[in-house]
Amino acid sequence: MTLRELHDGWTLRHSGGGIPPAFAGVAAEPVPATVPGVVHTDLLAAGLIPDPYVDDNESLLSWIGRCDWTYELTFDAPADGADNHDLVAEGLDTVARVVLNGVEVATTRNQHRTYRWPVGALLRPEGNRLEVTFRSPIAYAEEREAVLGERPHGYVHPYNAIRKTACNFGWDWGPALVTSGIWRRIGIESWSGARIASVRPVVGVDGDARRVDVHVELEWSDDATDLEVVAHVAGERAAVAASIGTSSVVLSITAPDVELWWPRGHGAQPLYELTVQAGEAEWSRRIGFRSAEIDVEADADGSPFTVIVNGKPIYIRGANWIPEDTFFARITRERLAERFTDAEESGMNLLRVWGGGIYESEDFYELADERGVLVWQDFLLACAAYSEDAELWDEFEAEARDNVTRLSSHPSLVVWNGGNENIWGWVDWGWRPRLKGATWGEGYYLDLFPRVIGELAPTTPYSAGSPYGFSRFVHPNDPKHGTVHIWDVWNQVDYDVYRTYRPRFVSEFGFQGPAAWSTLFSVVHDEPADPYGPLMLVHQKANDGNGKLERGLGAHIAEPQSIDDWHWATQLNQARAVRFGIEHFRSLHPLNQGSIVWQLNDCWPVISWAAVDGHGIRKPLWYALRDVYADRFATIQPRDGGLALVLHNDSDSPWEASVSVRVLTFAGDERTSMDASASVPARSAVSVALDVSSDDPTGEFVVAELSTGERAFWYFDEDPALRLSPSPVVASASAVEGGYEVRVRATSLAKDVTLLVDRADAAARVDRGMVTLLPGDEASFRVTAPAGLDAEVFAGALVVRSANDLVPVTVGV
């Protein structure tokens, strides 16, 4: 019983809605269609539209989302002698009418569901004609909003009136390229006897006991016979007899010899093949054995949000995840694997699949299982009020049951979350007067979703929202309780305000910075290049985003005087702002139990909060995250009118180190020093008071160096006031096996040395960044790039950058 994919031979044609005269050729005749895929990528492949990501093509192509489109295929029926033939569609985007051989099979209106329809009676041996017609999702959403009633939502289109990916209608980091198409697999599944409709393993771990209850849903053919359902895992077996018509059975297996699955950094990730057989039908998937819970019990400081796996608290070092491409069918396992590598190598142990995106592919969750990256999964509601009328309620319930069942086998998935910012929105965003008593989604968060989780995934914890205080009697975004989003930083105030927070858990916060130079200017072609150029602003989706970028420099970085310095300054400031926040959050451990930065990835080339841009290039932020998300972390923080060295040891081994603390001039002369020793138990933090001061705050700094290699810095003033050398490094480059090596020697203090290697070659990547060098230090940077380049391009002034480059010359001399 396998899906015979119907992916080859499709055509696409325009079937309704206005087309601008410049694109009249779109309506001329059908074009080849790639399935899975969407209309935009098919028209692009046919040469009928320009690249939607380039310049202002986004608005040029807005008409596509206002049109109807029809996919057509002719195929032969399976000749396998099976009794039943089902048409299975794993993803239709979104409002579809499915017709087979002139007969309407179904209509759909939910992008996030899998559909199955029996079509055996309609099939012919040869020449079957399948048509899938998609209505304009924008027109449909507007129509349903008029029926259901207008409710607050974050952006132009009423994405809360249709079960389609919210960010597909545009977000403050993403384009409004509203898609239609067969975006996941479609095909014919043929079967006889009994079919395994679904398998839902519910793993239980209680002390040394390991158990899995395998819930199996069955469907029967008319001429089926009684059979035995058998499950195997880890050398253990369970079986149960099933008579004709039995819709479900449960097989319970105790597996005493399995090892526990752990998050990365806490242990191994053993996975065990679970197979289920029912007659000729078979299902298999790898599962892991773990327990998961969240501690939200009130304490003297409020109420925590502590993720606990296998009875062990896990300090969360995470990032929010958005769809990896606006056109989802282009997202491959290889591309996802690259982003998981980005997450792992930066020290992350959790990705939050945000509620304005999608339930990700099996590839995503399998990679998370294999690599030990925890997954926090939102239900797909974001920044809006949602009707609870039956029309949407029924879709939400079907969608939730579909996806919870599909994903329940993955040990990496440890949090289900009701949605993004919707409870906060109802409390704080002026919704109540507009709603006038209308439903807004509370029933989903406090009734439907927890009920579905309790029934289908009872061993995975649930949160009603993010942010959320886990009580109706506290503000949903109170830092003392549960999870908090910190967005006054970036939107309104300087990033030093992070230090005024004492959050239990930060599930969103972040700061913007542009994509890598080569990424950004591959799609932005203003002449001359200008941060406020009209095409640049197409790729800056945040409200007053560039104004906030510039105001965000604050006292930290002087106003840049060129496009090159603007790009470097805003990238640097993004990295510093987020680093500042996480250093503070980690210094509060154990009060603080983690943070989830907004965001790891981008869906296109853009100015955004991402650490890795739309072309997969790691921004300076990524290198800063690798430092502050390290297992062993050191920071100097203000404490009680002085300074303290705070050490957070998020590893299973004690951290013993000698500490040297010095006050140095920028030229490297020592003014004062002190020595100390540090002993930090596993998964703990300690604070060491520092007896240091400076008589020359614009010419001196503090460095704490640990014998285990960590460093922490403190500056007595902001960069524009410091007498930093404007030329603090000497760089040289040479070709080496597998790439290039750049050696950078500091002649005076060089802050945040970073190589923007893509400026020399767009394919180039570098192994480290945001490295502060003491006078006399030498650092080696390894560059991977195409062979045959002149190595010295990687030592150029626009490639080798430091914060010193941005200090006004009158200060640095």
Side-chain angles (χ1 to χ4, degrees):
M1 185 178 65
T2 58
L3 184 69
R4 179 198 168 200
E5 294 178 343
L6 299 176
H7 290 174
D8 298 325
W10 288 89
T11 60
L12 169 71
R13 61 178 172 85
H14 172 261
S15 52
I19 299 178
F23 297 98
V26 169
E29 59 184 26
V31 299
T34 297
V35 171
V38 292
V39 170
H40 288 76
T41 50
D42 289 332
L43 298 180
L44 180 63
L48 294 173
I49 62 170
D51 188 331
Y53 289 173
V54 172
D55 292 332
D56 196 18
N57 292 340
E58 173 193 354
S59 61
L60 190 68
L61 301 174
S62 61
W63 56 272
I64 295 175
R66 291 239 173 232
C67 289
D68 302 337
W69 302 92
T70 298
Y71 286 77
E72 296 174 304
L73 173 71
T74 300
F75 68 97
D76 296 337
D80 51 15
D83 296 329
N84 301 280
H85 303 280
D86 295 343
L87 177 62
V88 179
E90 295 181 354
L92 299 176
D93 176 16
T94 292
V95 184
R97 178 173 181 262
V98 181
V99 174
L100 178 60
N101 292 330
V103 178
E104 182 180 290
V105 173
T107 58
T108 74
R109 56 187 181 190
N110 193 327
Q111 180 178 9
H112 309 300
R113 290 178 57 185
T114 291
Y115 295 95
R116 174 184 293 270
W117 307 287
V119 294
L122 298 177
L123 287 174
R124 302 189 288 253
E126 297 179 341
N128 294 280
R129 189 70 173 170
L130 178 60
E131 298 181 6
V132 184
T133 297
F134 293 95
R135 278 197 59 192
S136 159
I138 297 175
Y140 179 84
E142 292 171 342
E143 170 193 297
R144 301 323 300 162
E145 181 186 49
V147 173
L148 297 169
E150 182 183 359
R151 285 170 171 80
H153 50 82
Y155 296 89
V156 174
H157 300 298
Y159 61 81
N160 52 343
I162 182 175
R163 291 312 301 142
K164 177 174 169 59
T165 300
C167 67
N168 193 225
F169 292 91
W171 217 259
D172 57 5
W173 37 259
L177 293 165
V178 184
T179 57
S180 295
I182 304 170
W183 74 287
R184 281 183 167 159
R185 296 195 310 162
I186 189 169
I188 299 290
E189 188 175 283
S190 302
W191 57 281
S192 298
R195 183 181 75 82
I196 298 175
S198 69
V199 176
R200 182 171 48 84
V202 177
V203 168
V205 173
D206 184 9
D208 293 332
R210 315 280 192 265
R211 176 188 176 95
V212 57
D213 293 329
V214 186
H215 298 254
V216 183
E217 300 291 325
L218 299 170
E219 184 179 351
W220 299 82
S221 182
D222 290 340
D223 59 351
T225 59
D226 295 349
L227 51 76
E228 186 177 52
V229 182
V230 182
H232 293 87
V233 67
E236 305 294 333
R237 178 183 185 273
V240 63
S243 57
I244 298 172
T246 301
S247 61
S248 62
V249 298
V250 180
L251 301 96
S252 296
I253 301 177
T254 299
D257 297 328
V258 300
E259 300 293 327
L260 293 179
W261 183 97
W262 288 95
R264 62 179 302 275
H266 291 262
Q269 294 80 43
L271 297 169
Y272 299 89
E273 193 77 18
L274 170 66
T275 62
V276 177
Q277 292 177 302
E280 298 298 317
E282 182 172 315
W283 177 99
S284 68
R285 183 168 294 170
R286 292 182 299 169
I287 66 171
F289 288 79
R290 60 96 182 112
S291 66
E293 56 188 307
I294 303 171
D295 177 14
V296 296
E297 289 298 318
D299 59 24
D301 296 297
S303 49
F305 182 93
T306 304
V307 176
I308 299 173
V309 177
N310 301 328
K312 181 179 180 181
I314 309 297
Y315 186 82
I316 297 302
R317 297 173 268 158
N320 284 271
W321 173 270
I322 66 170
E324 174 64 9
D325 197 307
T326 299
F327 306 123
F328 304 150
R330 299 200 302 202
I331 304 171
T332 63
R333 186 182 182 97
E334 292 71 25
R335 192 161 157 186
L336 291 173
E338 290 175 2
R339 296 295 81 75
F340 270 86
T341 297
D342 291 327
E344 288 178 276
E345 293 184 356
S346 70
M348 294 176 186
N349 59 12
L350 180 143
L351 293 176
R352 175 193 170 206
V353 182
W354 166 76
I358 59 175
Y359 302 102
E360 289 286 340
S361 65
E362 285 303 310
D363 289 333
F364 180 93
Y365 303 98
E366 287 175 2
L367 287 165
D369 293 344
E370 293 166 4
R371 300 188 183 207
V373 176
L374 299 174
V375 175
W376 162 324
Q377 177 69 56
D378 280 14
F379 287 104
L380 302 186
L381 307 88
C383 303
Y386 290 81
S387 165
E388 296 173 33
D389 288 38
E391 174 180 322
L392 276 181
W393 185 282
D394 292 347
E395 285 296 338
F396 272 118
E397 180 161 11
E399 172 187 319
R401 290 183 174 279
D402 187 343
N403 287 283
V404 173
T405 297
R406 176 172 73 93
L407 301 178
S408 63
S409 63
H410 293 286
S412 57
L413 203 167
V414 295
V415 179
W416 280 97
N417 179 61
N420 180 73
E421 298 189 342
N422 303 315
I423 298 173
W424 184 18
W426 186 80
V427 170
D428 259 3
W429 296 354
W431 289 2
R432 280 174 281 181
R434 295 174 60 187
L435 287 167
K436 295 183 168 64
T439 56
W440 56 275
E442 181 182 24
Y444 301 129
Y445 316 127
L446 300 183
D447 175 14
L448 177 61
F449 295 154
R451 186 157 39 83
V452 170
I453 294 297
E455 176 188 342
L456 301 181
T459 59
T460 301
Y462 171 78
S463 167
S466 181
Y468 189 59
F470 292 86
S471 169
R472 299 176 73 95
F473 303 103
V474 301
H475 191 284
N477 202 40
D478 185 342
K480 295 179 182 178
H481 298 278
T483 56
V484 64
H485 292 190
I486 301 178
W487 284 118
D488 56 349
V489 175
W490 167 250
N491 280 314
Q492 298 164 337
V493 297
D494 190 84
Y495 67 69
D496 61 10
V497 172
Y498 281 133
R499 279 211 184 110
T500 68
Y501 283 87
R502 291 178 56 80
R504 309 306 301 270
F505 190 100
V506 188
S507 49
E508 274 191 28
F509 72 107
F511 211 88
Q512 264 202 356
W517 183 273
S518 63
T519 300
L520 192 59
F521 289 103
S522 70
V523 296
V524 174
H525 301 106
D526 292 307
E527 291 292 346
D530 183 342
Y532 288 90
L535 301 178
M536 181 74 81
L537 293 179
V538 171
H539 296 81
Q540 167 56 282
K541 294 298 183 182
N543 181 39
D544 188 30
N546 279 4
K548 292 174 183 176
L549 278 176
E550 294 180 6
R551 291 190 293 275
L553 299 176
H556 311 293
I557 296 175
E559 181 181 353
Q561 300 301 307
S562 68
I563 186 69
D564 302 286
D565 281 354
W566 173 86
H567 181 265
W568 165 231
T570 50
Q571 279 203 328
L572 173 63
N573 204 48
Q574 176 190 32
R576 284 184 167 185
V578 173
R579 180 173 67 188
F580 186 100
I582 296 176
E583 288 195 19
H584 170 63
F585 303 149
R586 288 193 71 169
S587 79
L588 299 176
H589 181 80
L591 178 80
N592 173 266
Q593 285 295 323
S595 59
I596 308 176
V597 67
W598 188 273
Q599 64 213 62
L600 175 63
N601 60 323
D602 265 332
C603 64
W604 73 316
V606 67
I607 303 169
S608 84
W609 294 263
V612 180
D613 76 19
H615 286 184
I617 297 179
R618 294 169 173 179
K619 294 158 66 171
L621 170 58
W622 184 90
Y623 297 98
L625 287 173
R626 184 168 62 177
D627 291 340
V628 295
Y629 274 166
D631 290 352
R632 292 177 170 179
F633 168 71
T635 180
I636 298 175
Q637 294 288 318
R639 291 289 189 272
D640 301 322
L643 297 176
L645 176 66
V646 183
L647 305 175
H648 181 198
N649 177 17
D650 192 25
S651 76
D652 281 329
S653 302
W655 184 10
E656 307 286 342
S658 57
V659 183
S660 170
V661 181
R662 295 180 290 162
V663 177
L664 300 177
T665 69
F666 297 149
D669 298 326
E670 184 177 302
R671 295 304 190 217
T672 61
S673 67
M674 64 171 283
D675 294 323
S677 60
S679 179
V680 192
R683 310 294 175 184
S684 299
V686 301
S687 181
V688 179
L690 301 182
D691 183 15
V692 294
S693 61
S694 173
D695 295 327
D696 183 12
T698 64
E700 295 175 351
F701 67 102
V702 182
V703 59
E705 297 177 282
L706 282 74
S707 57
T708 46
E710 294 78 14
R711 277 179 172 173
F713 294 89
W714 180 266
Y715 303 97
F716 298 101
D717 213 327
E718 299 289 355
D719 282 12
L722 299 180
R723 301 195 308 275
L724 294 168
S725 167
S727 302
V729 300
V730 176
S732 62
S734 60
V736 296
E737 184 176 354
Y740 304 85
E741 182 184 41
V742 180
R743 301 195 69 83
V744 178
R745 180 172 56 84
T747 56
S748 70
L749 178 71
K751 296 182 68 174
D752 297 322
V753 176
T754 301
L755 271 59
L756 307 180
V757 294
D758 71 289
R759 295 211 59 164
D761 189 282
R765 303 292 185 267
V766 65
D767 66 340
R768 58 193 305 207
M770 295 292 291
V771 179
T772 292
L773 300 177
L774 299 179
D777 280 355
E778 185 172 292
S780 174
F781 296 78
R782 185 62 180 259
V783 178
T784 56
L789 299 174
D790 178 2
E792 283 304 313
V793 299
F794 295 113
L798 292 178
V799 172
V800 181
R801 301 304 304 256
S802 74
N804 301 48
D805 299 345
L806 303 170
V807 174
V809 174
T810 55
V811 173
V813 297

